[in-house]
Amino acid sequence: MKNILVTGGAGFIGSNFIRYILNKNEEVRVINVDKLTYAGNLENLKGLEGNPRYIFEKIDICNKQAVKRVMEDYNVDTIINFAAESHVDRSIVDPTEFINTNIKGTQILLDIAKKIWTIGEDKYKEGTRYVQVSTDEVYGSLEQDEKCFTEKTPLNPHSPYSASKASADMLVKAYYDTYKFPACITRCSNNYGPYQFPEKFIPLIINNCLKHKLIPIYGDGSNIRDWLYVEDHCEAIYKVALKGKIGDIYNIGGHNERTNIQIVKKIINYMHDNVDDSINEKLITYVKDRKGHDKRYGINPEKIFKELNWIPKTQFEDGIVQTIKWYLKNQEWLENVVSGEYEKYYNRMYKI
Ligand code: NAD
Ligand code: TDX
């Protein structure tokens, strides 16, 4: 039985990952450690209570004693570090928590795992593995005609969020280079799918369509993101955890670049045709651009295709419809997350 510590498992990707792993019905137990910030939501894991292969502990990864206790109590052999402050706009307003969780939290996990897993100089218990869930944003921004990011592209982060993620990656690299610590890094492009908090672009559009609210587009809407369905990301991370080469980096993506305006129009058209014909492109409103807004992300995933035999299963055209349908079916979930703190955040962010 493998004991996998998932940090940040009550967030968007972490909760999808936990469901993915438990549904695979393998010999694994998942220990979910989450601080439950505004982005963490136990509703994302509804139905798993009482599952003997699932344990939840409300813990901040910056709390050394608590992390050590959990690692020992549950005999953890694998760590997948999803826990992070993840929203670029919030990092622009105040980077403090991004430095704490994304950098210090990562170092604490590395340090405790190194101490517990060490069996001799530069030797670790068999089967131990740490996966750092990083992002394509650490590479910076591409021009229209530039080649996609490979694992060798130099790091050039622009936002406080991406700078904190790049710093964490450097720490993971240092633990491998210095101590041969058994770690891998994954760098994925933008995810979409069920349970994504509606501060992020795709669920924000869906929510605003449902409420007939204006949809804020930063700048002229020509910025490009490379979208991947969340379950495909989960599968890739699991492959890296099981078969990735220690010390290596794996880019994850599915060659699916779209401009922001293409995304908005796609969602509006679906909502117009299937939900309410008064939802239309008049909802689109251009607002002040994000500071330091990266122009384009594009991932070259050839390495994980070739070495770990991973390819994404969900085409964007299908994934986006599945995602919209999920939000339509789960409007109670949506109502719960957009009440309270979210509303205050939204009104502060968007004066429209
Ligand atoms: P999210 O914001 O939805 O979830 C983050 C989770 O981490 C929340 O449950 C939160 O409560 C928890 N958390 C925050 N601080 C913590 C702390 N100090 N201790 C314990 N738990 C804490 O984020 P997400 O979109 O699911 O992203 C997960 C990871 O994947 C992040 O590391 C992010 O950088 C990375 N990533 C995200 C995307 C994307 O498109 N969303 C793409 C590539 C990489
Ligand atoms: O209201 C909006 N209007 C708008 O035009 C919002 C919220 C976003 N945008 C634009 C900004 C980006 O070009 O949409 C694009 C996507 O924005 P986000 O959903 O905020 O994602 P992004 O900044 O690209 O970062 C995401 O992908 C990489 C995740 O939030 C990160 O956690 C991940 O590392």
Side-chain angles (χ1 to χ4, degrees), residues 13 85-89 134-137 161 165 188-191 196 198-204 215-219 221 223-225 227 260 287 290 293-295 297 345-346 349-350:
I13 308 175
E85 287 295 332
S86 68
H87 193 38
V88 173
D89 291 328
S134 185
T135 167
D136 59 359
E137 299 201 17
Y161 162 72
K165 294 294 289 185
C188 189
S189 57
N190 284 59
N191 283 212
Q196 189 167 28
E199 65 187 353
K200 305 283 165 60
F201 193 46
I202 286 182
L204 185 145
I215 299 167
I217 305 297
Y218 299 156
N223 298 65
I224 292 170
R225 296 294 181 264
W227 295 95
N260 291 339
V287 299
R290 174 184 277 175
H293 196 175
D294 286 336
K295 186 71 196 161
Y297 302 141
Y345 161 82
Y346 191 92
M349 266 302 293
Y350 304 102

Side-chain angles (χ1 to χ4, degrees), residues 60 86 109 117 124 132 199 211 232 245 249 341 343:
D60 182 340
S86 68
L109 292 173
W117 291 346
Y124 298 89
Q132 177 70 7
E199 65 187 353
K211 311 267 163 54
D232 283 321
K245 191 163 160 266
I249 297 164
E341 201 275 344
E343 208 174 329

Side-chain angles (χ1 to χ4, degrees), residues 102 125 129 242 267 287 312-313:
N102 301 6
K125 281 184 201 156
R129 176 67 59 102
L242 294 178
I267 297 174
V287 299
K313 295 195 171 91

